[in-house]
Amino acid sequence: MSEVVLSERLQERIKTLISRYPEGKQKSALITILHEVQNENDDYLTTDLMDKIAEILSIKPIEVYEVATFYSMYNHKPVGKYMLEFCRTSCCATRKAEDMMEYTCQKLGVKEGEVTPDGLFSVRGVECLGACGYAPMLQLGDFYHEFLTKEKIDQLIEDCRAGKVELISKV
Amino acid sequence: MSKKILLEHINVPGIQGYEAYRKVGGYASVEKALKMAPLDIVEEVKKSGLRGRGGAGFPTGMKWSFIDKKSGKPAHLVCNADESEPGTFKDRYLMEKLPHLLIEGMITGSIALEAHLSYIYIRGEYMWVYRILERAINEAYANGWLGKNIKGSGYDLDVHVTCGAGAYICGEETALIESLEGKRGNPRIKPPFPAVSGLWGNPTVVNNVESIAAIPYIVNNGGEEYAKIGVGKSTGTKLISASGHIKNPGVYEIELGLPVDEFMNSDEYLGGMYSDRPLKAVVPGGSSVPILPAELFYKNAKGEPRLMTYESLSDGGFASASMMGSGGFIVYDDTTCVVRNTWNFSRFYHHESCGQCSPCREGTGWMEKILWRIEHGYGNMEDIDLLWEIQRKIEGNTICPLGDAAAWPVAAAIRHFRDEFEFHVKYPEKIKDRNHFVAEPWEKVKHLVKKEEVLV
């Protein structure tokens, strides 16, 4: 039995997600649940968390691990509170995505994949995010920041430091 | 001005919400479909000539007619909103702005397939769109378009949105189904096709967002009306997402049959080249389709003007044409390095290969490494032939089309731009800077490779 305790909100949410699939097909909710659990737990998945999910879904822990390691949006190590993910595929690369990412890394004093010592930021290159016409761009939480310039990056980092940046979108 | 079917109401204030959508006639196709025999709806879709808008272009009505209704198992309609093909961002636009159009299409489509449980599978990165859809679905339930006994018809239907978590491969329909079952996105061997054994072993149809969003128009106006738009077997309208070195990047709804020249250069559409630089090449249908050099873009090999249709864009086969694909239209000017861009695509496919089939798992890695080597000035002439051999051995030898998708861009780049690869091998000092063709465009240096060939 996993010692992990999930928040009440999360437990309710998981119940809702499971209810969207027929009886016995609760495993289908796994990918969405992993997102929600990751979001509420410093943006990375520990073995304890994954074991807890396995327990909730009545599946084997390995069934969770194999999924959690297949998809690129799940983290297994701590990441910055603000994870700046730069699209680096063709259309963005054509519009200077590499320059934008290098600029950001330099500004924050990190290499790609690293976390700043204060734990606030990490920078990562990712593949096409479907914003090709609005390149260059980065993803931060739920949000896309498009038509990036150095000035926009400066402002975004400043806003993050001031705690003014939301990560989850509201509708 | 092209006729707008999908995006007609995109500028109506509040159209994201139920009230505004209903006011402009939204959900009328559901009312109509509930009174029709399911097979008649399928018939209308067949008559419309609608072809799958995700990239394969397979006739939607025919796909629907394959669904196994005799098995007694429940059927499912699954919307493929995993949009991940580089250059493609049309479905995101449609779902973000017009979530109810997709939901209406899901309901009408489900009625046609006699499905009572359907899903929209959206890529995990589009999480804000997931939330938009979730809210819109709740609105549809609240207004009696979903749930038990829809509008007193006796028909029950549940539609839910579910998401992925960063895997291009889940755009392949059987990988998507695996993922929807909470597993790794490993494509299944076909047959059985999803229409016979799909989600949880049940008969399943997987359709792209844009295909499903076209259903309300077809049901409201009849398949024949839809088929009046377009040319030949390319009927209706198509969303094109345009990016790269153009003046007006974005999403456009065009009537199929629009001349490529008009799409590319008129102010109504792309407005010509960004910074007015010369056009070098176009990838007209997402990263998987062959890259077309400028001289084969506006006109085909026979000198006839190209049109934005499935047939015209592929007229000439891979030797001198490309494909409509997903409508991910990427334009490159003369500062673009084709070798670098091909390396970029290969890195993408290597990253996204699920690893099931060795030709793809190993081949994409090899292609990425060799292309890196050539692009960074460490290549030799044999590498170009080796690259050709590797792509040839991937194509057709994998469970799913990701292998082909990885092979085609490499093959086309070598086919049309071999001299540029040779330039990289012969003049490593000229390509040290990653923006090498920005400082000195290809047109200015290409004589170096040509000249030597003459001397030899």
Side-chain angles (χ1 to χ4, degrees):
Chain A
M1 292 283 277
S2 168
E3 300 289 309
V4 173
V5 181
L6 302 178
S7 73
E8 254 174 57
R9 188 210 72 86
L10 196 50
Q11 290 184 40
E12 277 309 303
R13 177 70 177 154
I14 289 172
K15 270 188 213 159
T16 306
L17 292 172
I18 292 174
S19 75
R20 293 177 180 174
Y21 305 95
E23 190 82 40
K25 306 297 183 196
Q26 73 281 2
K27 184 178 169 177
S28 284
L30 174 59
I31 290 172
T32 321
I33 292 174
L34 281 167
H35 278 295
E36 302 257 355
V37 169
Q38 178 168 281
N39 282 350
E40 275 209 7
N41 289 277
D42 300 324
D43 292 321
Y44 75 104
L45 297 165
T46 59
T47 309
D48 276 352
L49 284 169
M50 291 189 282
D51 289 351
K52 181 72 188 175
I53 296 171
E55 194 183 301
I56 294 169
L57 290 173
S58 312
I59 57 178
K60 295 189 198 88
I62 185 70
E63 294 178 80
V64 180
Y65 307 160
E66 64 168 7
V67 165
T69 52
F70 180 85
Y71 296 91
S72 65
M73 289 180 77
Y74 302 129
N75 306 311
H76 300 276
K77 281 190 290 193
V79 293
K81 180 177 178 196
Y82 301 102
M83 185 165 56
L84 306 169
E85 296 185 292
F86 287 81
C87 172
R88 55 181 186 171
T89 314
S90 175
C91 320
C92 280
T94 300
R95 291 276 186 130
K96 310 248 180 289
E98 288 153 308
D99 294 354
M100 291 300 137
M101 190 159 113
E102 276 173 15
Y103 173 78
T104 310
C105 283
Q106 231 165 29
K107 186 178 167 88
L108 295 171
V110 290
K111 290 200 191 85
E112 193 195 330
E114 288 177 354
V115 186
T116 54
D118 58 8
L120 268 188
F121 296 99
S122 50
V123 179
R124 189 151 79 181
V126 296
E127 298 299 345
C128 187
L129 290 174
C132 321
Y134 325 115
M137 63 82 66
L138 68 83
Q139 178 162 27
L140 173 56
D142 280 5
F143 297 94
Y144 279 17
H145 297 264
E146 298 169 332
F147 296 117
L148 284 179
T149 59
K150 288 176 181 171
E151 293 71 31
K152 279 193 187 173
I153 291 170
D154 291 345
Q155 186 64 50
L156 182 62
I157 289 172
E158 201 178 296
D159 289 348
C160 289
R161 285 196 170 125
K164 288 196 281 189
V165 174
E166 289 292 325
L167 296 176
I168 308 284
S169 63
K170 293 187 181 71
V171 289
Chain B
M1 198 60 183
S2 264
K3 189 175 172 69
K4 302 281 182 277
I5 286 176
L6 303 168
L7 306 183
E8 190 189 354
H9 301 299
I10 198 135
N11 294 319
V12 173
I15 196 71
Q16 259 197 348
Y18 173 76
E19 297 300 331
Y21 183 73
R22 179 70 176 146
K23 229 176 244 170
V24 296
Y27 289 95
S29 75
V30 177
E31 290 171 312
K32 189 168 175 188
L34 285 169
K35 292 179 196 136
M36 288 171 74
L39 279 178
D40 291 343
I41 307 174
V42 177
E43 204 47 44
E44 289 305 321
V45 176
K46 274 190 184 166
K47 272 191 227 160
S48 76
L50 174 66
R51 292 166 69 172
R53 299 294 195 226
F58 189 81
T60 305
M62 200 186 292
K63 200 175 195 181
W64 285 14
S65 69
F66 292 154
I67 199 131
D68 182 3
K69 288 188 176 173
K70 290 185 203 120
S71 68
K73 293 179 185 168
H76 306 287
L77 173 62
V78 174
C79 172
N80 184 346
D82 192 54
E83 182 167 71
S84 310
E85 172 87 3
T88 316
F89 50 101
K90 64 186 178 72
D91 295 337
R92 158 198 166 184
Y93 182 75
L94 194 145
M95 293 185 287
E96 208 179 343
K97 308 279 183 190
L98 297 161
H100 282 284
L101 177 62
L102 176 61
I103 294 161
E104 182 180 350
M106 286 296 291
I107 301 171
T108 306
S110 297
I111 295 168
L113 300 171
E114 298 177 69
H116 300 283
L117 179 59
S118 296
Y119 293 94
I120 301 168
Y121 177 101
I122 189 167
R123 69 181 294 186
E125 292 90 340
Y126 287 176
M127 194 51 84
W128 84 99
V129 187
Y130 170 95
R131 298 187 212 284
I132 290 171
L133 289 171
E134 206 174 31
R135 188 192 60 181
I137 288 172
N138 287 338
E139 285 182 315
Y141 271 102
N143 287 282
W145 298 103
L146 284 171
K148 300 266 178 232
N149 190 18
I150 297 172
K151 298 288 166 191
S153 65
Y155 193 81
D156 303 341
L157 173 65
D158 286 305
V159 172
H160 300 293
V161 57
T162 179
C163 70
Y168 168 72
I169 189 62
C170 292
E172 194 281 334
E173 60 179 9
T174 61
L176 186 152
I177 289 169
E178 286 284 304
S179 184
L180 186 39
E181 292 182 359
K183 301 176 196 158
R184 298 163 71 98
N186 288 348
R188 297 175 180 172
I189 292 173
K190 297 193 253 190
F193 287 90
V196 173
S197 179
L199 182 61
W200 306 308
N202 297 333
T204 305
V205 166
V206 183
N207 285 144
N208 174 259
V209 171
E210 191 189 340
S211 312
I212 293 174
I215 301 301
Y217 180 92
I218 294 168
V219 170
N220 284 333
N221 300 282
E224 273 171 28
E225 200 57 30
Y226 185 87
K228 279 183 193 162
I229 311 161
V231 177
K233 287 187 175 168
S234 293
T235 60
T237 64
K238 172 93 189 80
L239 295 180
I240 306 288
S241 59
S243 65
H245 295 126
I246 40 169
K247 284 213 174 81
N248 313 321
V251 177
Y252 297 89
E253 181 174 12
I254 61 159
E255 283 182 37
L256 288 169
L258 183 75
V260 166
D261 186 20
E262 187 184 340
F263 181 60
M264 181 71 195
N265 293 307
S266 82
D267 290 335
E268 190 189 338
Y269 299 106
L270 310 190
M273 299 298 288
Y274 169 76
S275 337
D276 295 318
R277 296 204 67 95
L279 171 72
K280 182 171 186 176
V282 176
V283 171
S287 60
S288 308
V289 310
I291 189 167
L292 265 185
E295 62 272 20
L296 288 169
F297 173 58
Y298 291 117
K299 288 185 174 150
N300 64 19
K302 292 171 276 180
E304 297 155 353
R306 262 193 220 284
L307 308 176
M308 296 292 287
T309 63
Y310 291 92
E311 294 74 24
S312 182
L313 287 172
S314 61
D315 188 1
F318 281 7
S320 64
S322 185
M323 285 163 80
M324 171 72 99
S326 62
F329 196 91
I330 319 170
V331 177
Y332 302 101
D333 72 16
D334 66 338
T335 65
T336 311
C337 172
V338 168
V339 176
R340 190 174 186 82
N341 193 57
T342 311
W343 163 53
N344 187 298
F345 281 154
S346 284
R347 184 188 64 202
F348 173 84
Y349 290 106
H350 182 211
H351 184 262
E352 301 300 338
S353 173
C354 80
Q356 255 192 132
C357 315
S358 31
C360 174
R361 181 185 64 238
E362 304 302 322
T364 52
W366 274 93
M367 293 199 301
E368 184 197 345
K369 282 180 207 150
I370 295 167
L371 280 157
W372 182 91
R373 188 157 80 184
I374 299 174
E375 167 62 11
H376 291 83
Y378 307 110
N380 56 53
M381 285 300 174
E382 291 78 42
D383 281 344
I384 306 172
D385 298 321
L386 180 59
L387 207 47
W388 182 267
E389 272 306 295
I390 295 170
Q391 69 78 23
R392 198 179 61 78
K393 285 173 180 160
I394 300 173
E395 189 191 2
N397 292 321
T398 54
I399 290 174
C400 88
L402 190 141
D404 301 343
W408 293 343
V410 173
I414 300 175
R415 187 180 295 122
H416 299 301
F417 298 94
R418 191 180 174 105
D419 49 352
E420 207 169 307
F421 285 79
E422 290 178 2
F423 175 79
H424 279 67
V425 172
K426 284 185 184 164
Y427 298 96
E429 74 284 356
K430 284 195 177 286
I431 51 159
K432 274 189 185 139
D433 183 323
R434 71 168 174 239
N435 296 318
H436 39 271
F437 290 153
V438 174
E440 211 173 23
W442 169 239
E443 284 301 314
K444 289 209 173 132
V445 292
K446 71 175 187 187
H447 65 276
L448 291 168
V449 222
K450 302 272 185 216
K451 206 159 133 196
E452 283 189 16
E453 273 169 6
V454 176
L455 289 174
V456 175

